[in-house]
Amino acid sequence: AGGPESPAPPPGNWGARRGGAARWGGGGPPGSPVAAVVSRGGRPDLAGDRLAGVRAPTLLVVGGRDALVLDLNRRAGSLLRCENRLAVVEGATHLFEEPGALEEVAELATSWFTGHFRDQ
């Protein structure tokens, strides 16, 4: 588990809301060092054609009460050509301000990253 001779694991990529669309390029190029991507309430639709080029396993996390973004993420998930999962935080709105919502997002992201870093 990481002496000086151990290589660092490939990075994870985290994006939230509209700014998350800028992160999609990081998981796209073949041979990309990105181990996994998590998008929280993101707008992957803004990445357009780049979605099909994403190779890193991708978790899309959306609030269950954020109907527009939930629909956009469902559509984006169908365009991804990599391992991907849509996780819905029931009762959460776009900003995940409801009690326990951000904690659930943190647990989902931790589990996703941990599982995919282990594979590296």
Side-chain angles (χ1 to χ4, degrees):
E5 68 284 346
S6 298
N13 209 337
W14 168 267
R17 301 181 56 204
R18 285 187 185 181
R23 296 286 190 202
W24 290 103
S32 171
V34 175
V37 174
V38 174
S39 171
R40 181 205 57 124
R43 291 284 311 272
D45 59 299
L46 297 177
D49 294 340
R50 288 180 288 172
L51 287 175
V54 173
R55 298 292 176 254
T58 300
L59 174 65
L60 305 169
V61 183
V62 181
R65 292 175 45 207
D66 190 1
L68 173 62
V69 174
L70 182 56
D71 182 56
L72 293 170
N73 276 260
R74 281 189 178 122
R75 291 178 192 198
S78 71
L79 297 174
L80 289 167
R81 300 293 174 242
C82 58
E83 174 189 352
N84 68 88
R85 178 176 157 229
L86 175 65
V88 179
V89 177
E90 293 303 330
T93 55
H94 190 67
L95 297 178
F96 296 85
E97 296 175 312
E98 297 74 19
L102 284 177
E103 290 80 1
E104 186 172 343
V105 171
E107 289 174 18
L108 288 164
T110 298
S111 177
W112 188 258
F113 283 135
T114 301
H116 289 89
F117 290 163
R118 189 176 319 132
D119 295 339
Q120 298 301 311

